[in-house]
Amino acid sequence: VFRVCVPEVAISEAIEHAARVDVVLWPDGQPAPVSIEDVQLLVPPRRLAAMTTDELALMPRLEVIQLLTAGSDPWLGLAPQTVTLCSGQGIHGSSTAELAVAAVLHQIRDLARYERQQADRRWQPGERHSIAGSNVAVLGAGDIGGRVADVLTILGARVVVVSRTAREGILSPDEFRPLIAEQNVVVVATPLTAQTRGMVGKEFLAALPDQAVVVNVARGPIVDTNALLAELHSGRLSAALHVTDPEPLAGHPLWTAPNLLLTPHVGGGSMGWQQRAGALVQRQIGHLLRAEPLENVVG
Amino acid sequence: VFRVCVPEVAISEAIEHAARVDVVLWPDGQPAPVSIEDVQLLVPPRRLAAMTTDELALMPRLEVIQLLTAGSDPWLGLAPQTVTLCSGQGIHGSSTAELAVAAVLHQIRDLARYERQQADRRWQPGERHSIAGSNVAVLGAGDIGGRVADVLTILGARVVVVSRTAREGILSPDEFRPLIAEQNVVVVATPLTAQTRGMVGKEFLAALPDQAVVVNVARGPIVDTNALLAELHSGRLSAALHVTDPEPLAGHPLWTAPNLLLTPHVGGGSMGWQQRAGALVQRQIGHLLRAEPLENVVG
């Protein structure tokens, strides 16, 4: 019997339970289940940032940690060499890309202004910026960044995609640096690494043109919160954050910053994600049982 | 000399004034310029719904009325047979498509909920619907409808496009009718005609599933305002209207309807439209001077 541990009933239900597979549940905020010591594939609880090595030592038979998130930064280097770490890339990609597009359009078309007019019962058309004709930089060439770039191109934006290593159609950070001053929109969709931490900092933000929009759907620490706050308060830039640094926010100046749309890490949290997660776990089990390479291996 | 009359300096400036072309200005809300009697190509003031036949009689040399709007309904049949009526299709297409996408995503991801949480300083993730996995019907297969369909397909929606005449990949209204009950989103992007007036009426709306989203970027009277109001107040449907019936709104129940985003006919009103309008006028002048067929002829 192959033992799998997942954090939600809906994911468990999305896995077809073959005779050779046993699925146990470890819900968010609960202690580990009794049968944890037999677990071979672990899908950790969602709200668990990472595990301690002591906790991991409770699972001597563990072969795979399958994350539900596209990012895997807190887990890297944590598990013993015998354990393969796999990201949840693809589970939330389309949903996060769609929230990024929603946020870009919300900010560049200034929908909040129409919501205020609606509250005041004022019919007041006026000309606003549009994504058509805008320059957009997408930082990150993965599933999310690729979808955002495709969509905004169809809507008439001139899009550049930036990634660690330049390749056909993709700029390196060094190639991109001189172009920052031309970008009306920046979408952050790159993993958090030592290189990307603080990448969108004071200098980067200061180089953006007036009225530029910064959207972060990746990880909070890629954007320098204090530098962004200063630009928001000056009215020069606007932003949409699905992720923040710190996160979650409690009594933080971001709550009251002007020109900001805050969506509390809900990029991937759209209905149907459990089915996509279950399907991925199911495929990974198949790979293990057939001794095939796993998908989404990150460590 | 070929005489052109346009309503905005920015459009005039976007037309290259060849030696043979003379451009006069007729701004919104102003009386017709003195030289109106020589005008051969008229771009009417934007806020002018249509002209009277008396006003048109002031321009005995008029050959072409070039509208700035994609819709041309108030002008049809108004001018003498000798005058060609051309729509502004293409001037506002990308901009209107982008606002339609913004509105669809705003409503299906319930961004207003996060704006309320932000005002209350509440960090409260939660699962919402997404366009990925949703069924979307786009009514209208023109420039705007086509772009909306392409974008939402990339974002993972299952899209059907409906037009007067069925063709490859496009359903007729009769073919579409049995599918209304499956649509999570309906985007209205079809011209106002005798057939489309009231098309999204009480029966159509009642057939939609719970929590469906109706977005109208075409013309107000295609959607039955009272039937929509009833569905919004019951909480069953949500909507985004860029156009309304009546329009503009003054002291109307739509202002206070729940589950509604109102953007006061700003679909095409994004920066850069005057350049696109000027380019179209310039091309039309070229066609006239070279005795070629005009673009966007509607009557």
Side-chain angles (χ1 to χ4, degrees), chain A residues 71-135:
Chain A
S72 53
D73 37 289
W75 292 85
L76 290 169
L78 210 68
Q81 292 283 345
T82 52
V83 176
T84 306
L85 180 65
C86 298
S87 79
Q89 176 161 343
I91 297 176
H92 307 293
S94 63
S95 178
T96 304
E98 133 187 8
L99 193 55
V101 171
V104 166
L105 296 179
H106 184 278
Q107 292 301 70
I108 206 152
R109 297 298 289 243
D110 200 3
L111 294 188
R113 165 192 157 118
Y114 301 118
E115 293 178 298
R116 289 191 300 271
Q117 286 183 200
Q118 191 174 349
D120 297 347
R121 307 183 199 184
R122 264 188 301 130
W123 183 275
Q124 191 181 316
E127 279 165 37
R128 311 304 297 164
H129 288 282
S130 68
I131 200 67
S134 289
N135 293 330

Side-chain angles (χ1 to χ4, degrees), chain A residues 109-119 121-128, chain B residues 46-47 99 103 216-219 240-250 254-255 260-270:
Chain A
R109 297 298 289 243
D110 200 3
L111 294 188
R113 165 192 157 118
Y114 301 118
E115 293 178 298
R116 289 191 300 271
Q117 286 183 200
Q118 191 174 349
R121 307 183 199 184
R122 264 188 301 130
W123 183 275
Q124 191 181 316
E127 279 165 37
R128 311 304 297 164
Chain B
R46 286 174 83 194
R47 303 283 166 229
L99 193 56
N216 188 1
V217 292
R219 285 290 178 269
L241 301 178
H242 306 311
V243 289
T244 54
D245 176 29
E247 185 177 319
L249 293 176
L254 273 176
W255 280 122
L260 175 65
L261 176 68
L262 266 176
T263 52
H265 211 139
V266 293
S270 66

Side-chain angles (χ1 to χ4, degrees), chain A residues 95 98 106 109 115 118 121-122 127-128 130-132 247-248 255-256 260 262 266-267 269-271 273, chain B residues 95 98 106 109 115 118 121-123 127-128 130-132 247 255-256 260 262 266-267 269-271 273:
Chain A
S95 178
E98 133 187 8
H106 184 278
R109 297 298 289 243
E115 293 178 298
Q118 191 174 349
R121 307 183 199 184
R122 264 188 301 130
E127 279 165 37
R128 311 304 297 164
S130 68
I131 200 67
E247 185 177 318
W255 281 123
T256 48
L260 175 66
L262 268 176
V266 293
S270 66
M271 290 169 188
W273 76 265
Chain B
S95 179
E98 134 187 8
H106 185 278
R109 296 297 290 244
E115 294 178 299
Q118 191 174 349
R121 306 184 200 184
R122 264 188 301 130
W123 184 275
E127 280 164 37
R128 312 303 298 164
S130 67
I131 200 68
E247 185 177 319
W255 280 122
T256 49
L260 175 65
L262 266 176
V266 293
S270 66
M271 290 169 188
W273 75 266

Side-chain angles (χ1 to χ4, degrees), chain B residues 16-54:
Chain B
E16 285 178 39
H17 297 204
R20 297 166 63 193
V21 179
D22 179 39
V23 183
V24 297
L25 205 64
W26 182 4
D28 257 327
Q30 301 293 314
V34 183
S35 53
I36 192 78
E37 62 184 35
D38 292 328
V39 164
Q40 289 158 277
L41 187 153
L42 173 72
V43 182
R46 286 174 83 194
R47 303 283 166 229
L48 200 67
M51 288 180 137
T52 63
T53 43
D54 281 358

Side-chain angles (χ1 to χ4, degrees), chain A residues 5 39-45 48 50-52 55-56 59 62-69 72 75-80 82-88 280-281 284 288 294-299:
Chain A
C5 180
V39 165
Q40 291 158 274
L41 187 154
L42 172 72
V43 182
L48 201 66
M51 287 180 139
T52 64
E55 286 171 319
L56 285 168
M59 295 171 277
L62 191 63
E63 296 173 32
V64 177
I65 297 174
Q66 172 61 61
L67 302 178
L68 294 172
T69 51
S72 53
W75 292 85
L76 290 169
L78 210 68
T82 52
V83 176
T84 306
L85 180 65
C86 298
S87 79
L280 175 59
V281 170
Q284 301 286 46
L288 286 168
L294 291 164
E295 300 177 33
N296 292 1
V297 173
V298 289

